[in-house]
Amino acid sequence: MKKIFVLMMAAVLGSASLMAQEVQTAHWENQRNSLSISAGYVSGFFFSKLIIAWIGPAASHARKTDYYGSYGLQYHYQVNSWCRVGAKFNWEGEDYDMWTGKKDDASAVKKGVTFGHALSLVASAQFTYFNREHVQIYSGLDAGVGTYISDVKYLPGYADSDGNTHPVKATWLPAFNITPIGVAFGSWRVFGFVETNIGYEAFAKVGLGVHF
């Protein structure tokens, strides 16, 4: 009798598990695409650039740095229940004033503003290892190309060593990003997410997206 009861319970639980799996599978199979936007604070790349730029004489001729933040647009396609692939575009920016003298020089005069733009376009793969209807936990790996654009705008009467008043310089670099942990939450149509990152995306970012 006990054996029959155990077998019946196993059959019921097995059926329930299959039904739940079918429901979950139906969701991602019918809505494989996702599009999202995100915002965060300082990437590893940008943080490293800031440290290098402010070492030595560069720091003595710059004041009032304004950091704009890191913003992204992401698209992914759900290959199966645990893997999605796609692409990401990210922008991060700042500006800082340039002066003729050191910071503590009372006679220093502002001579211009430098705008910095870090952009990246990467291929992306994300792997879900905790998958529930309203919560998913995942990690990711991205690789592609990035550039840092320095846009220096001098005030009238000032120029660089070559006489340029509005020099623009672009430096191209390989771009990469690792997402140690990300958490997505919400419905199968609209979702939010939080992530930690190492590389070209913000150390911590939040976002909002849609499945379709």
Side-chain angles (χ1 to χ4, degrees):
M1 188 69 179
K2 289 183 179 179
K3 291 183 178 180
I4 295 176
F5 178 76
V6 170
L7 290 173
M8 291 178 61
M9 288 299 296
V12 171
L13 291 173
S15 300
S17 176
L18 288 173
M19 290 176 64
Q21 185 175 357
E22 288 176 359
V23 171
Q24 185 169 338
T25 300
H27 280 300
W28 70 260
E29 285 186 339
N30 294 330
Q31 296 171 314
R32 290 178 179 263
N33 303 279
S34 66
L35 187 65
S36 62
I37 56 175
S38 62
Y41 185 78
V42 75
S43 67
F45 166 78
F46 215 81
F47 183 72
S48 300
K49 184 204 71 67
L50 289 174
I51 292 177
I52 294 172
W54 280 82
I55 293 176
S60 65
H61 297 278
R63 302 181 184 179
K64 199 181 77 64
T65 298
D66 293 319
Y67 176 70
Y68 302 141
S70 175
Y71 305 93
L73 176 67
Q74 298 86 209
Y75 166 79
H76 285 94
Y77 176 81
Q78 196 79 36
V79 178
N80 53 41
S81 61
W82 57 270
C83 177
R84 53 183 173 268
V85 297
K88 296 180 178 180
F89 173 78
N90 200 73
W91 173 87
E92 192 171 15
E94 65 166 348
D95 73 56
Y96 60 86
D97 295 341
M98 299 181 297
W99 293 70
T100 57
K102 295 183 178 181
K103 286 185 175 182
D104 55 358
D105 186 352
S107 63
V109 178
K110 181 178 176 179
K111 63 179 181 179
V113 182
T114 294
F115 296 88
H117 308 274
L119 302 95
S120 63
L121 180 63
V122 297
S124 173
Q126 295 182 339
F127 311 98
T128 302
Y129 50 88
F130 180 85
N131 197 349
R132 296 294 184 269
E133 183 176 358
H134 297 295
V135 179
Q136 297 84 42
I137 302 177
Y138 59 90
S139 295
L141 182 63
D142 314 319
V145 63
T147 183
Y148 180 76
I149 300 174
S150 177
D151 183 6
V152 183
K153 296 182 179 179
Y154 287 94
L155 296 175
Y158 297 95
D160 65 8
S161 58
D162 296 323
N164 298 313
T165 59
H166 188 179
V168 177
K169 180 181 178 181
T171 303
W172 294 89
L173 299 164
F176 75 93
N177 186 68
I178 299 171
T179 304
I181 184 169
V183 180
F185 48 89
S187 70
W188 287 101
R189 296 187 180 276
V190 180
F191 64 95
F193 64 93
V194 295
E195 283 184 5
T196 59
N197 292 282
I198 302 171
Y200 265 73
E201 291 199 62
F203 284 123
K205 75 174 188 179
V206 298
L208 183 67
V210 293
H211 293 293
F212 58 96

